[in-house]
mmCIF file of all heavy atoms in Angstrom:
data_model
loop_
_atom_site.group_PDB
_atom_site.id
_atom_site.type_symbol
_atom_site.label_atom_id
_atom_site.label_comp_id
_atom_site.label_asym_id
_atom_site.label_seq_id
_atom_site.Cartn_x
_atom_site.Cartn_y
_atom_site.Cartn_z
ATOM 1 N N GLU A 85 -30.250 -155.178 -21.334
ATOM 2 C CA GLU A 85 -31.191 -156.295 -20.943
ATOM 3 C C GLU A 85 -30.627 -157.579 -21.341
ATOM 4 O O GLU A 85 -30.784 -158.644 -20.536
ATOM 5 C CB GLU A 85 -32.570 -156.038 -21.613
ATOM 6 C CG GLU A 85 -33.601 -157.068 -21.283
ATOM 7 C CD GLU A 85 -34.849 -156.988 -22.128
ATOM 8 O OE1 GLU A 85 -34.931 -155.914 -22.858
ATOM 9 O OE2 GLU A 85 -35.681 -157.939 -22.132
ATOM 10 N N ALA A 86 -30.065 -157.739 -22.616
ATOM 11 C CA ALA A 86 -29.634 -159.039 -23.023
ATOM 12 C C ALA A 86 -28.406 -159.491 -22.160
ATOM 13 O O ALA A 86 -28.196 -160.639 -21.880
ATOM 14 C CB ALA A 86 -29.202 -158.938 -24.505
ATOM 15 N N ARG A 87 -27.481 -158.513 -21.912
ATOM 16 C CA ARG A 87 -26.306 -158.908 -21.072
ATOM 17 C C ARG A 87 -26.729 -159.339 -19.707
ATOM 18 O O ARG A 87 -26.174 -160.345 -19.136
ATOM 19 C CB ARG A 87 -25.355 -157.677 -20.941
ATOM 20 C CG ARG A 87 -24.559 -157.465 -22.182
ATOM 21 C CD ARG A 87 -23.410 -156.382 -21.859
ATOM 22 N NE ARG A 87 -24.027 -155.069 -21.657
ATOM 23 C CZ ARG A 87 -24.130 -154.108 -22.611
ATOM 24 N NH1 ARG A 87 -23.733 -154.383 -23.875
ATOM 25 N NH2 ARG A 87 -24.567 -152.907 -22.283
ATOM 26 N N ALA A 88 -27.648 -158.717 -19.092
ATOM 27 C CA ALA A 88 -28.200 -159.117 -17.778
ATOM 28 C C ALA A 88 -28.861 -160.456 -17.822
ATOM 29 O O ALA A 88 -28.594 -161.303 -16.963
ATOM 30 C CB ALA A 88 -29.164 -158.055 -17.243
ATOM 31 N N PHE A 89 -29.617 -160.704 -18.822
ATOM 32 C CA PHE A 89 -30.305 -162.053 -19.000
ATOM 33 C C PHE A 89 -29.250 -163.175 -19.179
ATOM 34 O O PHE A 89 -29.399 -164.185 -18.451
ATOM 35 C CB PHE A 89 -31.198 -162.036 -20.214
ATOM 36 C CG PHE A 89 -32.101 -163.230 -20.292
ATOM 37 C CD1 PHE A 89 -33.313 -163.273 -19.799
ATOM 38 C CD2 PHE A 89 -31.664 -164.354 -20.925
ATOM 39 C CE1 PHE A 89 -34.148 -164.394 -19.933
ATOM 40 C CE2 PHE A 89 -32.428 -165.509 -21.087
ATOM 41 C CZ PHE A 89 -33.692 -165.520 -20.535
ATOM 42 N N ALA A 90 -28.205 -162.876 -19.988
ATOM 43 C CA ALA A 90 -27.135 -163.878 -20.158
ATOM 44 C C ALA A 90 -26.380 -164.165 -18.894
ATOM 45 O O ALA A 90 -26.049 -165.330 -18.587
ATOM 46 C CB ALA A 90 -26.277 -163.437 -21.245
ATOM 47 N N TYR A 91 -26.130 -163.115 -18.100
ATOM 48 C CA TYR A 91 -25.423 -163.224 -16.874
ATOM 49 C C TYR A 91 -26.198 -164.075 -15.762
ATOM 50 O O TYR A 91 -25.582 -164.859 -15.076
ATOM 51 C CB TYR A 91 -25.096 -161.911 -16.303
ATOM 52 C CG TYR A 91 -24.274 -161.888 -15.050
ATOM 53 C CD1 TYR A 91 -22.977 -162.179 -15.053
ATOM 54 C CD2 TYR A 91 -24.929 -161.595 -13.761
ATOM 55 C CE1 TYR A 91 -22.236 -162.169 -13.804
ATOM 56 C CE2 TYR A 91 -24.173 -161.646 -12.591
ATOM 57 C CZ TYR A 91 -22.809 -161.899 -12.652
ATOM 58 O OH TYR A 91 -22.157 -161.884 -11.495
ATOM 59 N N GLU A 92 -27.522 -163.909 -15.844
ATOM 60 C CA GLU A 92 -28.310 -164.513 -14.715
ATOM 61 C C GLU A 92 -28.889 -165.810 -15.222
ATOM 62 O O GLU A 92 -29.538 -166.511 -14.346
ATOM 63 C CB GLU A 92 -29.516 -163.588 -14.390
ATOM 64 C CG GLU A 92 -29.014 -162.251 -13.691
ATOM 65 C CD GLU A 92 -29.999 -161.244 -13.671
ATOM 66 O OE1 GLU A 92 -31.166 -161.445 -14.079
ATOM 67 O OE2 GLU A 92 -29.710 -160.082 -13.176
ATOM 68 N N ILE A 93 -28.746 -166.176 -16.458
ATOM 69 C CA ILE A 93 -29.370 -167.417 -16.960
ATOM 70 C C ILE A 93 -28.851 -168.669 -16.228
ATOM 71 O O ILE A 93 -27.672 -168.834 -16.087
ATOM 72 C CB ILE A 93 -29.139 -167.557 -18.532
ATOM 73 C CG1 ILE A 93 -30.039 -168.636 -19.138
ATOM 74 C CG2 ILE A 93 -27.703 -167.846 -18.836
ATOM 75 C CD1 ILE A 93 -29.950 -168.582 -20.634
ATOM 76 N N PRO A 94 -29.714 -169.477 -15.741
ATOM 77 C CA PRO A 94 -29.289 -170.692 -15.005
ATOM 78 C C PRO A 94 -28.641 -171.755 -15.946
ATOM 79 O O PRO A 94 -28.999 -171.841 -17.138
ATOM 80 C CB PRO A 94 -30.576 -171.286 -14.378
ATOM 81 C CG PRO A 94 -31.705 -170.713 -15.210
ATOM 82 C CD PRO A 94 -31.204 -169.403 -15.729
ATOM 83 N N GLU A 95 -27.760 -172.520 -15.371
ATOM 84 C CA GLU A 95 -27.109 -173.603 -16.137
ATOM 85 C C GLU A 95 -28.119 -174.548 -16.632
ATOM 86 O O GLU A 95 -29.027 -174.936 -15.924
ATOM 87 C CB GLU A 95 -26.059 -174.288 -15.189
ATOM 88 C CG GLU A 95 -25.203 -175.338 -15.961
ATOM 89 C CD GLU A 95 -24.157 -174.609 -16.857
ATOM 90 O OE1 GLU A 95 -23.717 -173.474 -16.478
ATOM 91 O OE2 GLU A 95 -23.774 -175.163 -17.843
ATOM 92 N N GLY A 96 -28.011 -174.865 -17.931
ATOM 93 C CA GLY A 96 -28.961 -175.888 -18.476
ATOM 94 C C GLY A 96 -30.210 -175.219 -19.082
ATOM 95 O O GLY A 96 -31.018 -175.922 -19.724
ATOM 96 N N SER A 97 -30.385 -173.921 -18.977
ATOM 97 C CA SER A 97 -31.565 -173.251 -19.536
ATOM 98 C C SER A 97 -31.488 -173.314 -21.084
ATOM 99 O O SER A 97 -30.414 -173.209 -21.664
ATOM 100 C CB SER A 97 -31.562 -171.796 -19.159
ATOM 101 O OG SER A 97 -32.586 -171.112 -19.765
ATOM 102 N N LEU A 98 -32.613 -173.501 -21.647
ATOM 103 C CA LEU A 98 -32.675 -173.562 -23.155
ATOM 104 C C LEU A 98 -33.182 -172.254 -23.743
ATOM 105 O O LEU A 98 -33.399 -172.157 -24.936
ATOM 106 C CB LEU A 98 -33.598 -174.716 -23.577
ATOM 107 C CG LEU A 98 -33.151 -176.130 -23.121
ATOM 108 C CD1 LEU A 98 -34.147 -177.112 -23.674
ATOM 109 C CD2 LEU A 98 -31.818 -176.388 -23.768
ATOM 110 N N SER A 99 -33.274 -171.242 -22.921
ATOM 111 C CA SER A 99 -33.670 -169.943 -23.375
ATOM 112 C C SER A 99 -32.433 -169.060 -23.562
ATOM 113 O O SER A 99 -31.523 -169.007 -22.580
ATOM 114 C CB SER A 99 -34.589 -169.262 -22.412
ATOM 115 O OG SER A 99 -35.050 -168.022 -22.889
ATOM 116 N N TYR A 100 -32.268 -168.415 -24.752
ATOM 117 C CA TYR A 100 -31.033 -167.656 -25.020
ATOM 118 C C TYR A 100 -31.293 -166.251 -25.512
ATOM 119 O O TYR A 100 -32.154 -166.050 -26.357
ATOM 120 C CB TYR A 100 -30.185 -168.436 -26.069
ATOM 121 C CG TYR A 100 -28.693 -168.173 -25.897
ATOM 122 C CD1 TYR A 100 -27.936 -168.937 -25.130
ATOM 123 C CD2 TYR A 100 -28.112 -167.047 -26.542
ATOM 124 C CE1 TYR A 100 -26.534 -168.714 -24.901
ATOM 125 C CE2 TYR A 100 -26.780 -166.726 -26.407
ATOM 126 C CZ TYR A 100 -26.011 -167.572 -25.498
ATOM 127 O OH TYR A 100 -24.651 -167.327 -25.345
ATOM 128 N N PRO A 101 -30.614 -165.255 -24.946
ATOM 129 C CA PRO A 101 -30.912 -163.848 -25.280
ATOM 130 C C PRO A 101 -30.371 -163.421 -26.625
ATOM 131 O O PRO A 101 -29.222 -163.718 -26.959
ATOM 132 C CB PRO A 101 -30.197 -163.155 -24.128
ATOM 133 C CG PRO A 101 -29.065 -163.952 -23.744
ATOM 134 C CD PRO A 101 -29.526 -165.378 -23.870
ATOM 135 N N VAL A 102 -31.162 -162.727 -27.352
ATOM 136 C CA VAL A 102 -30.817 -162.131 -28.659
ATOM 137 C C VAL A 102 -31.288 -160.652 -28.664
ATOM 138 O O VAL A 102 -32.302 -160.286 -28.030
ATOM 139 C CB VAL A 102 -31.316 -162.869 -29.878
ATOM 140 C CG1 VAL A 102 -30.961 -164.285 -29.838
ATOM 141 C CG2 VAL A 102 -32.879 -162.758 -29.917
ATOM 142 N N VAL A 103 -30.590 -159.887 -29.466
ATOM 143 C CA VAL A 103 -31.040 -158.458 -29.706
ATOM 144 C C VAL A 103 -31.089 -158.306 -31.274
ATOM 145 O O VAL A 103 -30.046 -158.490 -31.892
ATOM 146 C CB VAL A 103 -30.152 -157.433 -29.084
ATOM 147 C CG1 VAL A 103 -30.622 -156.051 -29.463
ATOM 148 C CG2 VAL A 103 -30.108 -157.526 -27.549
ATOM 149 N N TYR A 104 -32.201 -158.028 -31.832
ATOM 150 C CA TYR A 104 -32.390 -157.790 -33.280
ATOM 151 C C TYR A 104 -32.665 -156.290 -33.420
ATOM 152 O O TYR A 104 -33.501 -155.728 -32.686
ATOM 153 C CB TYR A 104 -33.417 -158.625 -33.903
ATOM 154 C CG TYR A 104 -33.174 -160.086 -33.860
ATOM 155 C CD1 TYR A 104 -34.230 -161.051 -33.927
ATOM 156 C CD2 TYR A 104 -31.841 -160.563 -33.880
ATOM 157 C CE1 TYR A 104 -33.922 -162.408 -33.921
ATOM 158 C CE2 TYR A 104 -31.622 -161.996 -33.853
ATOM 159 C CZ TYR A 104 -32.660 -162.818 -33.847
ATOM 160 O OH TYR A 104 -32.365 -164.212 -33.814
ATOM 161 N N PHE A 105 -31.952 -155.645 -34.363
ATOM 162 C CA PHE A 105 -32.084 -154.221 -34.527
ATOM 163 C C PHE A 105 -32.136 -153.852 -36.002
ATOM 164 O O PHE A 105 -31.727 -154.556 -36.877
ATOM 165 C CB PHE A 105 -30.922 -153.474 -33.823
ATOM 166 C CG PHE A 105 -29.552 -153.884 -34.360
ATOM 167 C CD1 PHE A 105 -28.964 -153.180 -35.409
ATOM 168 C CD2 PHE A 105 -28.843 -155.012 -33.941
ATOM 169 C CE1 PHE A 105 -27.733 -153.464 -35.968
ATOM 170 C CE2 PHE A 105 -27.673 -155.397 -34.465
ATOM 171 C CZ PHE A 105 -27.062 -154.579 -35.489
ATOM 172 N N ASP A 106 -32.639 -152.630 -36.209
ATOM 173 C CA ASP A 106 -32.562 -152.046 -37.520
ATOM 174 C C ASP A 106 -31.187 -151.315 -37.602
ATOM 175 O O ASP A 106 -30.737 -150.584 -36.759
ATOM 176 C CB ASP A 106 -33.656 -150.983 -37.756
ATOM 177 C CG ASP A 106 -35.049 -151.632 -37.872
ATOM 178 O OD1 ASP A 106 -35.181 -152.677 -38.555
ATOM 179 O OD2 ASP A 106 -36.030 -151.084 -37.282
ATOM 180 N N SER A 107 -30.523 -151.564 -38.833
ATOM 181 C CA SER A 107 -29.223 -151.109 -39.057
ATOM 182 C C SER A 107 -29.173 -149.548 -38.878
ATOM 183 O O SER A 107 -30.001 -148.849 -39.512
ATOM 184 C CB SER A 107 -28.659 -151.465 -40.352
ATOM 185 O OG SER A 107 -27.310 -151.018 -40.546
ATOM 186 N N ASP A 108 -28.182 -149.004 -38.114
ATOM 187 C CA ASP A 108 -28.161 -147.568 -37.892
ATOM 188 C C ASP A 108 -26.728 -147.071 -37.891
ATOM 189 O O ASP A 108 -26.434 -146.038 -37.392
ATOM 190 C CB ASP A 108 -28.845 -147.065 -36.667
ATOM 191 C CG ASP A 108 -28.286 -147.695 -35.427
ATOM 192 O OD1 ASP A 108 -27.417 -148.571 -35.549
ATOM 193 O OD2 ASP A 108 -28.726 -147.337 -34.342
ATOM 194 N N THR A 109 -25.761 -147.825 -38.574
ATOM 195 C CA THR A 109 -24.350 -147.454 -38.532
ATOM 196 C C THR A 109 -23.888 -146.973 -39.947
ATOM 197 O O THR A 109 -24.490 -147.332 -40.921
ATOM 198 C CB THR A 109 -23.443 -148.619 -38.066
ATOM 199 O OG1 THR A 109 -23.812 -149.737 -38.858
ATOM 200 C CG2 THR A 109 -23.771 -148.982 -36.591
ATOM 201 N N SER A 110 -22.814 -146.299 -39.938
ATOM 202 C CA SER A 110 -22.307 -145.728 -41.231
ATOM 203 C C SER A 110 -21.911 -146.840 -42.157
ATOM 204 O O SER A 110 -21.388 -147.931 -41.746
ATOM 205 C CB SER A 110 -21.057 -144.898 -40.932
ATOM 206 O OG SER A 110 -21.407 -143.763 -40.123
ATOM 207 N N GLY A 111 -22.257 -146.592 -43.412
ATOM 208 C CA GLY A 111 -21.752 -147.509 -44.519
ATOM 209 C C GLY A 111 -22.569 -148.743 -44.716
ATOM 210 O O GLY A 111 -22.093 -149.589 -45.487
ATOM 211 N N GLU A 112 -23.669 -148.953 -44.013
ATOM 212 C CA GLU A 112 -24.411 -150.184 -44.243
ATOM 213 C C GLU A 112 -25.393 -150.038 -45.341
ATOM 214 O O GLU A 112 -26.202 -149.162 -45.440
ATOM 215 C CB GLU A 112 -25.169 -150.534 -42.936
ATOM 216 C CG GLU A 112 -24.285 -151.173 -41.870
ATOM 217 C CD GLU A 112 -23.705 -152.490 -42.176
ATOM 218 O OE1 GLU A 112 -24.127 -153.142 -43.169
ATOM 219 O OE2 GLU A 112 -22.759 -152.934 -41.502
ATOM 220 N N LYS A 113 -25.302 -151.004 -46.337
ATOM 221 C CA LYS A 113 -26.208 -151.076 -47.413
ATOM 222 C C LYS A 113 -27.266 -152.238 -47.162
ATOM 223 O O LYS A 113 -26.765 -153.313 -46.726
ATOM 224 C CB LYS A 113 -25.432 -151.392 -48.681
ATOM 225 C CG LYS A 113 -26.023 -151.089 -50.013
ATOM 226 C CD LYS A 113 -24.946 -151.288 -51.091
ATOM 227 C CE LYS A 113 -25.448 -151.037 -52.472
ATOM 228 N NZ LYS A 113 -24.374 -151.240 -53.489
ATOM 229 N N ASP A 114 -28.461 -151.992 -47.368
ATOM 230 C CA ASP A 114 -29.515 -153.003 -46.912
ATOM 231 C C ASP A 114 -29.674 -154.109 -48.007
ATOM 232 O O ASP A 114 -30.395 -155.002 -47.808
ATOM 233 C CB ASP A 114 -30.855 -152.416 -46.560
ATOM 234 C CG ASP A 114 -31.403 -151.549 -47.709
ATOM 235 O OD1 ASP A 114 -30.844 -151.561 -48.815
ATOM 236 O OD2 ASP A 114 -32.503 -150.921 -47.490
ATOM 237 N N PHE A 115 -28.952 -154.042 -49.077
ATOM 238 C CA PHE A 115 -28.997 -155.109 -50.109
ATOM 239 C C PHE A 115 -27.590 -155.193 -50.813
ATOM 240 O O PHE A 115 -26.761 -154.346 -50.614
ATOM 241 C CB PHE A 115 -30.066 -154.836 -51.137
ATOM 242 C CG PHE A 115 -29.803 -153.581 -51.990
ATOM 243 C CD1 PHE A 115 -29.255 -153.749 -53.183
ATOM 244 C CD2 PHE A 115 -30.110 -152.326 -51.542
ATOM 245 C CE1 PHE A 115 -29.011 -152.658 -53.996
ATOM 246 C CE2 PHE A 115 -29.884 -151.204 -52.300
ATOM 247 C CZ PHE A 115 -29.307 -151.353 -53.524
ATOM 248 N N GLU A 116 -27.487 -156.144 -51.617
ATOM 249 C CA GLU A 116 -26.161 -156.376 -52.317
ATOM 250 C C GLU A 116 -26.383 -156.492 -53.883
ATOM 251 O O GLU A 116 -27.417 -156.895 -54.309
ATOM 252 C CB GLU A 116 -25.468 -157.640 -51.834
ATOM 253 C CG GLU A 116 -24.929 -157.481 -50.423
ATOM 254 C CD GLU A 116 -24.206 -158.770 -49.959
ATOM 255 O OE1 GLU A 116 -24.688 -159.817 -50.114
ATOM 256 O OE2 GLU A 116 -22.986 -158.590 -49.450
ATOM 257 N N GLU A 117 -25.344 -156.071 -54.551
ATOM 258 C CA GLU A 117 -25.371 -156.192 -56.091
ATOM 259 C C GLU A 117 -23.954 -156.443 -56.475
ATOM 260 O O GLU A 117 -22.955 -156.081 -55.831
ATOM 261 C CB GLU A 117 -25.890 -154.893 -56.679
ATOM 262 C CG GLU A 117 -25.195 -153.614 -56.216
ATOM 263 C CD GLU A 117 -25.931 -152.327 -56.594
ATOM 264 O OE1 GLU A 117 -26.634 -152.337 -57.611
ATOM 265 O OE2 GLU A 117 -25.738 -151.323 -55.838
ATOM 266 N N PHE A 118 -23.844 -157.081 -57.648
ATOM 267 C CA PHE A 118 -22.523 -157.498 -58.154
ATOM 268 C C PHE A 118 -21.985 -156.685 -59.349
ATOM 269 O O PHE A 118 -20.782 -156.678 -59.580
ATOM 270 C CB PHE A 118 -22.579 -158.994 -58.572
ATOM 271 C CG PHE A 118 -22.772 -159.952 -57.398
ATOM 272 C CD1 PHE A 118 -23.944 -160.652 -57.289
ATOM 273 C CD2 PHE A 118 -21.850 -160.104 -56.370
ATOM 274 C CE1 PHE A 118 -24.130 -161.536 -56.250
ATOM 275 C CE2 PHE A 118 -22.076 -160.920 -55.329
ATOM 276 C CZ PHE A 118 -23.193 -161.659 -55.283
ATOM 277 N N TYR A 119 -22.927 -156.022 -60.050
ATOM 278 C CA TYR A 119 -22.444 -155.238 -61.176
ATOM 279 C C TYR A 119 -23.284 -154.000 -61.317
ATOM 280 O O TYR A 119 -24.369 -153.920 -60.748
ATOM 281 C CB TYR A 119 -22.433 -155.997 -62.496
ATOM 282 C CG TYR A 119 -23.692 -156.680 -62.792
ATOM 283 C CD1 TYR A 119 -24.703 -156.140 -63.584
ATOM 284 C CD2 TYR A 119 -24.002 -157.991 -62.309
ATOM 285 C CE1 TYR A 119 -25.907 -156.729 -63.887
ATOM 286 C CE2 TYR A 119 -25.148 -158.667 -62.619
ATOM 287 C CZ TYR A 119 -26.129 -158.031 -63.357
ATOM 288 O OH TYR A 119 -27.348 -158.635 -63.696
ATOM 289 N N VAL A 120 -22.921 -153.073 -62.132
ATOM 290 C CA VAL A 120 -23.551 -151.767 -62.238
ATOM 291 C C VAL A 120 -23.783 -151.458 -63.729
ATOM 292 O O VAL A 120 -23.153 -152.059 -64.607
ATOM 293 C CB VAL A 120 -22.787 -150.628 -61.591
ATOM 294 C CG1 VAL A 120 -22.622 -150.932 -60.147
ATOM 295 C CG2 VAL A 120 -21.427 -150.449 -62.218
ATOM 296 N N PRO A 121 -24.695 -150.502 -64.005
ATOM 297 C CA PRO A 121 -24.897 -150.185 -65.458
ATOM 298 C C PRO A 121 -23.622 -149.680 -66.093
ATOM 299 O O PRO A 121 -22.821 -149.019 -65.531
ATOM 300 C CB PRO A 121 -25.867 -149.009 -65.375
ATOM 301 C CG PRO A 121 -26.624 -149.297 -64.135
ATOM 302 C CD PRO A 121 -25.606 -149.829 -63.147
ATOM 303 N N GLY A 122 -23.385 -150.109 -67.337
ATOM 304 C CA GLY A 122 -22.181 -149.738 -68.112
ATOM 305 C C GLY A 122 -21.108 -150.865 -68.064
ATOM 306 O O GLY A 122 -20.188 -150.776 -68.883
ATOM 307 N N GLU A 123 -21.283 -151.901 -67.247
ATOM 308 C CA GLU A 123 -20.385 -152.976 -67.239
ATOM 309 C C GLU A 123 -20.991 -154.106 -68.094
ATOM 310 O O GLU A 123 -22.123 -154.463 -67.854
ATOM 311 C CB GLU A 123 -20.162 -153.472 -65.811
ATOM 312 C CG GLU A 123 -19.405 -152.417 -64.910
ATOM 313 C CD GLU A 123 -19.214 -152.872 -63.452
ATOM 314 O OE1 GLU A 123 -19.996 -153.740 -62.938
ATOM 315 O OE2 GLU A 123 -18.300 -152.338 -62.819
#
């Protein structure tokens, strides 16, 4: 849907397509940390 919208968008339009998703790929951590217990 986003690719089609971007392809058909008229020159000068101020509307821009985005896709926001919940992460579903390998190795993704939903938060960050700098140190662990014992350090």
Side-chain angles (χ1 to χ4, degrees):
E85 179 191 350
R87 284 191 291 263
F89 188 92
Y91 181 75
E92 296 166 0
I93 193 169
E95 189 72 31
S97 172
L98 296 180
S99 185
Y100 208 90
V102 303
V103 178
Y104 294 154
F105 61 91
D106 289 321
S107 180
D108 61 353
T109 53
S110 296
E112 283 294 346
K113 196 174 183 178
D114 58 5
F115 66 97
E116 290 185 308
E117 54 193 331
F118 293 115
Y119 54 91
V120 299
E123 295 178 333

